[in-house]
């Protein structure tokens, strides 16, 4: 019975034109804004990290490749590790001022958020 269900799911009833694989149509377009139009927030956070401080940079509106490239540059400049999580960058340690200066030097609009 399961093979009957699978064949009924793959059966095309009506198709006017185009490729039946709609993966490109389902992808979301990511707006690639230039750095001077992005408003970034830089903040330090300890919550949920067992007392370890992490500097979080949020507010990006760019492609994942751009984020990965920027993350690599920031990790080298700060001399620490980091990761990309859902369009935010997390750098290990408290590097708010250093990251703020780097981002402004790269042309981003950035501010320190939080106390």
């Amino acid at each position: 019975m399961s093979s009957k269900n699978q064949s009924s799911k793959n059966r095309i009833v009506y198709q006017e034109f185009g490729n039946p694989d709609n993966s490109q149509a389902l992808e979301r377009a990511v707006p690639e804004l230039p750095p001077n139009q992005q408003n970034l927030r830089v903040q330090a956070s300890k919550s949920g990290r067992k007392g370890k401080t992490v500097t979080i940079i949020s507010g990006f509106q760019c492609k994942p490749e751009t984020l990965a490239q920027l993350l690599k540059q920031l990790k080298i400049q700060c001399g620490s590790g980091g990761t990309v999580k859902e369009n935010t960058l997390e750098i290990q340690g408290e590097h708010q001022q250093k990251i703020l200066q780097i981002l402004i030097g790269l042309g981003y609009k950035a501010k320190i958020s939080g106390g």
Side-chain angles (χ1 to χ4, degrees), residues 35-78:
N36 61 356
Q37 292 181 2
Q38 296 189 34
N39 294 318
L40 305 181
R41 302 279 185 220
V42 180
Q43 66 183 25
S45 173
K46 286 185 180 182
S47 64
R49 294 178 177 85
K50 298 182 182 177
K52 310 262 180 174
T53 304
V54 175
T55 305
I56 301 172
I57 306 119
S58 59
F60 287 103
Q61 293 182 356
C62 58
K63 295 181 180 175
E65 299 84 29
T66 308
L67 280 179
Q69 187 178 21
L70 181 61
L71 175 68
K72 183 176 181 180
Q73 186 175 1
L74 290 174
K75 285 175 15 180
I76 291 170
Q77 297 268 335
C78 294

